[in-house]
Amino acid sequence: MAKLKIDGKEIEVPDHYTLIQACEEAGAEVPRFCFHERLSVAGNCRMCLVEVKGGPPKPQASCAMGVRDIRGGPNGELPEVFTNTPMVKKAREGVMEFLLINHPLDCPICDQGGECDLQDQAMAFGIDSSRYQEDKRAVEDKYIGPLVKTVMNRCIHCTRCVRFTTEVAGISELGLIGRGEDAEITTYLERAMTSELQGNVVDLCPVGALTSKPFAFTARPWELNKTESIDVMDALGSAIRVDTRGREVMRVLPRVNEQINEEWISDKTRFIWDGLKTQRLDKPYVRKDGRLQPATWGDAFAAIKSAVAATSGDKIGAIAGDLASVEEMYALSELLKSLGSENLDCRQDGTALDPSLGRASYIFNPSIQGIEAADALLIVGANPRFEAAVLNSRIRKRWRRGKFPIGVIGEHADLRYSYDYLGAGPDTLADLVSGSHKFAEVLKNAQNPMIIIGQGALIREDGAQVLANAAKLAAAVGVVKDGWNGFAVLHTAASRVGGLDLGFVPGEKGVDAAAMLSSMDVLFLLGADELDFSRKGAKFTVYIGSHGDNGAQSADVILPAAAYTEKSGTWVNTEGRVQMSNRAGFAPGDAREDWAVIRALSDVLGKKLPFDSLRELRAKLYAAFPHFAGIDEIAEADSAQIAALAKKAGAMGKSAFASPIKDFYLTNPIARASAVMAECSALARNNFQAAAE
């Protein structure tokens, strides 16, 4: 620790702190443009100038000077830093005047207006006039893709975007060329950026040089209602803020959550919002004469009632989709049980995970933040770059610190960091289990080794054996030990862990999702769209969901429901953390929240569920499953369950592991309804084909 005085206030800070961080600890406000806590130090904007007592007779850039670099007085006095002296004030005014020499004065029409650091700091630290009469320079705008809009006349060359793409996203797609007045940020060849995290440069840009292209000129920030929520585009549960105007979602922004997403979100999370407006189901539909016809709620419920009355409980089933919340899955499971059915499944992809094996067998045990404590990693059947882009950046963050060997079994893909490619399939995993592969020694010698098992290894016919062999390897190399559990299952569906926690899986006499799709008399689809409907043999299908996607097109009755931004719901992320979203808007037309639709249907079927409000539903849910009441907490899993799972290991198949995510941008009904995601998908395909050629 280091002691120093800042504006006369004595503080103690870690000795690796920079002066700007020490000033923040002391409560002093220091302006900055280029400095960012999660990026390397550039020291090129010079806005964070401070005065150091006993130092050179000029202001110092506080972001580039450490607390260890300043000295105290000759008699043992503490080092002193001043942030508000006349010298500092004059220096900052000079820097601001210099920054504004070439900056266009287009604040009234700038799409960053109201959220611009330059605007705010010019007011607080600048002066009210300029001495410059010369012409301003002009810089040509660049095309860098369908997501980020450029107005390069505004750029102040802070290089935050360059450092982010290189350091966090892992691909050097932006750079600074030229010198002096000719300096400019560019993608060199003016090609579209390819990173799945590129939208974060919009938040990082302190001026309006990089802004959201889909959001540009649609609303001002002060017009928007801001709702804190969570993301369901993948299984991470990133913290987000949903901005709405009236009933319409206008944009999605990240919130800081050190335990999950830090302050980054993926492009799918950020730009999905236009899909919330299109292809929406806003009224019930009933299939008549082979065509879906608009109907009333009464007509839709009557059709379901007659279908249910004509069959028995063992021929009724329910499949939950990837975006379903815990509340609606609980309500549907209670309805099915009251009808005498044990045919429930939240695993529409057929993954081998089962709650009977224990919670430790299906969650990301080391936690997302725990990646930074690991010192060796094995990835089995996963492509984290597409399955969980923000988690992949956390792996890269740990990799950049050094001494972090990574081995991959599965697809030989570009993960944005270097790794040892061990093999394509189960044979390599078997070699590791037997100890004959050299990477087994790497894991054994690590203090905190970690194994990530992806859904690509678990949705196969031998998925249960792959999981058990991964557990056997974990036991053999010390992945699970006192104080550390590095056995991590990476999910791709936001609803999956919550469904497994609920026991939304087939009972003793129940059948799985694939069998239900082909054999049920009445099948309820709770937003389940990722099934192979070409094999559908179910006689009567009820779809409860928000978008007219695959499930709705094959349904006999459609009950319109709310999207994730239109309801308060509980989700459990891949690490087992219980999270709750808040309603940012209301569902369109006659659509209602999913649990309310199921509750109303239960009354018509004569099996009235024992709750009339969301509060009452949650009271029943928490009574049956107490851990769901612990919002933002992870219920402890018993690591002994992994040792028990290891004993079930048997022979595996021969085929190679393949990630289930074939198109990052089109993984769910909301994404497939988004024009922005469709454009990104087409661009990604073209880039892939060009690279292959």
Side-chain angles (χ1 to χ4, degrees):
M1 301 292 281
K3 287 186 177 181
L4 70 159
K5 279 187 177 180
I6 295 177
D7 293 337
K9 179 180 178 180
E10 186 176 321
I11 64 163
E12 188 173 10
V13 297
D15 60 3
H16 64 268
Y17 266 33
T18 58
L19 290 186
I20 194 170
Q21 292 171 305
C23 290
E24 285 180 348
E25 285 288 314
E29 184 179 358
V30 178
R32 82 291 301 269
F33 291 115
C34 68
F35 177 77
H36 192 278
E37 290 81 356
R38 303 185 200 280
L39 304 175
S40 61
V41 173
N44 55 9
C45 78
R46 318 309 285 180
M47 194 66 207
C48 63
L49 297 173
V50 296
E51 182 179 346
V52 179
K53 184 176 181 180
K58 61 179 182 178
Q60 301 295 307
S62 59
C63 71
M65 179 173 278
V67 294
R68 288 178 294 193
D69 299 332
I70 59 175
R71 298 178 180 177
N75 300 316
E77 296 96 337
L78 291 176
E80 285 199 64
V81 176
F82 300 98
T83 66
N84 51 14
T85 61
M87 180 173 81
V88 171
K89 184 173 183 295
K90 189 168 188 289
R92 288 175 181 168
E93 287 174 352
V95 170
M96 181 58 71
E97 191 176 12
F98 184 72
L99 286 174
L100 293 175
I101 290 173
N102 286 311
H103 194 76
L105 305 178
D106 57 1
C107 294
I109 57 95
C110 174
D111 40 5
Q112 187 87 340
E115 294 179 317
C116 177
D117 291 349
L118 185 65
Q119 203 175 37
D120 296 340
Q121 292 182 41
M123 287 290 293
F125 303 101
I127 53 177
D128 62 355
S129 60
S130 173
R131 293 172 288 171
Y132 288 87
Q133 304 298 322
E134 289 80 12
D135 293 337
K136 293 178 181 288
R137 76 170 192 158
V139 182
E140 187 178 345
D141 293 342
K142 311 293 190 296
Y143 170 77
I144 62 174
L147 303 180
V148 182
K149 174 189 172 188
T150 62
V151 186
M152 301 314 291
N153 283 339
R154 302 171 186 161
C155 181
I156 61 170
H157 306 142
C158 70
T159 67
R160 279 187 182 182
C161 55
V162 176
R163 285 174 284 148
F164 172 81
T165 54
T166 304
E167 298 166 11
V168 179
I171 178 168
S172 299
E173 292 188 304
L174 289 175
L176 184 93
I177 61 170
R179 299 185 65 177
E181 194 174 64
D182 296 324
E184 56 184 278
I185 301 288
T186 178
T187 54
Y188 305 113
L189 301 176
E190 293 203 26
R191 294 181 61 183
M193 294 170 69
T194 60
S195 171
E196 296 75 31
L197 299 168
Q198 62 182 275
N200 291 290
V201 300
V202 172
D203 298 328
L204 289 171
C205 185
V207 295
L210 302 175
T211 54
S212 169
K213 190 174 281 187
F215 177 69
F217 304 125
T218 58
R220 288 295 196 181
W222 55 83
E223 301 173 345
L224 304 175
N225 293 315
K226 301 164 181 66
T227 307
E228 294 187 351
S229 191
I230 59 162
D231 172 53
V232 298
M233 292 299 110
D234 54 31
L236 284 194
S238 300
I240 60 172
R241 192 186 85 193
V242 181
D243 287 1
T244 55
R245 184 171 60 188
R247 300 179 69 142
E248 192 174 0
V249 174
M250 302 302 293
R251 64 177 178 180
V252 175
L253 298 176
R255 288 187 294 123
V256 176
N257 187 326
E258 298 293 348
Q259 296 168 313
I260 301 174
N261 61 304
E262 297 181 296
E263 61 186 81
W264 319 124
I265 54 174
S266 73
D267 293 339
K268 189 162 51 176
T269 300
R270 183 185 298 270
F271 296 106
I272 199 77
W273 50 267
D274 70 313
L276 293 166
K277 307 172 189 178
T278 54
Q279 297 185 23
R280 288 303 301 270
L281 300 172
D282 59 357
K283 60 173 71 73
Y285 289 83
V286 175
R287 191 175 295 276
K288 296 178 181 175
D289 301 324
R291 293 174 63 86
L292 285 167
Q293 307 285 346
T296 64
W297 282 103
D299 292 341
F301 286 165
I304 298 170
K305 183 179 180 180
S306 62
V308 169
T311 189
S312 57
D314 62 332
K315 299 299 287 182
I316 302 173
I319 304 172
D322 292 349
L323 307 183
S325 72
V326 169
E327 287 85 354
E328 59 217 42
M329 285 192 285
Y330 174 71
L332 187 56
S333 68
E334 290 299 297
L335 175 59
L336 267 285
K337 288 171 187 174
S338 70
L339 293 172
S341 173
E342 294 184 359
N343 301 315
L344 301 167
D345 208 345
C346 63
R347 307 162 303 182
Q348 57 176 338
D349 56 6
T351 184
L353 301 169
D354 195 306
S356 65
L357 300 172
R359 196 168 197 254
S361 72
Y362 62 81
I363 65 171
F364 203 93
N365 289 286
S367 79
I368 296 165
Q369 198 170 22
I371 291 171
E372 297 187 32
D375 52 2
L377 173 64
L378 174 67
I379 300 174
V380 181
N383 184 335
R385 179 183 156 197
F386 295 140
E387 295 171 25
V390 176
L391 181 141
N392 197 56
S393 73
R394 183 85 75 152
I395 296 174
R396 176 176 165 78
K397 179 183 178 183
R398 172 63 188 88
W399 172 80
R400 289 185 72 236
R401 276 176 29 210
K403 296 182 180 179
F404 189 52
I406 301 173
V408 171
I409 303 175
E411 296 177 348
H412 197 177
D414 178 8
L415 298 181
R416 306 303 199 203
Y417 41 80
S418 60
Y419 59 84
D420 294 324
Y421 184 64
L422 309 181
D427 289 346
T428 309
L429 179 59
D431 290 343
L432 283 164
V433 172
S434 67
S436 60
H437 198 291
K438 61 182 180 180
F439 199 81
E441 282 301 312
V442 174
L443 294 172
K444 269 185 187 175
N445 296 333
Q447 190 69 30
N448 294 328
M450 187 171 164
I451 299 175
I452 294 179
I453 304 98
Q455 298 306 302
L458 302 176
I459 59 176
R460 305 148 46 99
E461 289 185 4
D462 62 347
Q465 293 302 324
V466 173
L467 181 66
N469 275 279
K472 188 175 180 180
L473 174 62
V477 299
V479 167
V480 181
K481 52 189 162 186
D482 290 343
W484 176 255
N485 185 344
F487 188 80
V489 176
L490 179 60
H491 289 271
T492 56
S495 66
R496 190 63 50 77
V497 177
L500 293 170
D501 281 353
L502 277 174
F504 201 97
V505 293
E508 286 185 19
K509 299 177 182 177
V511 297
D512 63 14
M516 277 189 253
L517 187 65
S518 61
S519 63
M520 290 295 110
D521 286 343
V522 178
L523 178 61
F524 291 92
L525 300 176
L526 186 59
D529 293 276
E530 315 307 322
L531 298 159
D532 183 2
F533 288 100
S534 65
R535 299 183 179 181
K536 178 175 172 283
K539 295 177 182 176
F540 189 88
T541 308
V542 180
Y543 181 79
I544 306 169
S546 60
H547 283 70
D549 203 68
N550 301 328
Q553 291 172 18
S554 66
D556 297 290
V557 173
I558 295 174
L559 304 179
Y564 73 105
T565 56
E566 298 156 0
K567 59 189 173 189
S568 174
T570 303
W571 279 269
V572 186
N573 78 347
T574 192
E575 60 183 352
R577 186 182 302 276
V578 179
Q579 299 175 291
M580 187 175 290
S581 70
N582 295 308
R583 180 161 62 187
F586 291 89
D590 292 334
R592 297 292 182 266
E593 293 181 51
D594 308 64
W595 72 265
V597 172
I598 295 164
R599 161 64 183 80
L601 176 61
S602 71
D603 205 358
V604 174
L605 296 179
K607 304 291 183 181
K608 185 177 177 180
L609 294 172
F611 46 80
D612 295 317
S613 67
L614 185 57
R615 178 178 293 181
E616 291 177 12
L617 186 159
R618 284 180 175 154
K620 297 284 186 186
L621 174 66
Y622 297 160
F625 303 94
H627 77 281
F628 284 123
I631 303 302
D632 205 35
E633 295 178 5
I634 302 175
E636 192 172 344
D638 184 2
S639 57
Q641 294 166 344
I642 297 172
L645 175 62
K647 295 176 182 176
K648 300 178 183 293
M652 297 177 284
K654 297 290 185 183
S655 59
F657 299 136
S659 172
I661 305 296
K662 301 305 179 190
D663 191 329
F664 169 77
Y665 298 101
L666 303 178
T667 56
N668 60 60
I670 304 175
R672 289 189 285 270
S674 165
V676 175
M677 293 295 101
E679 187 175 355
C680 291
S681 173
L683 197 61
R685 281 197 305 274
N686 291 338
N687 288 339
F688 179 78
Q689 289 169 0
E693 292 170 0

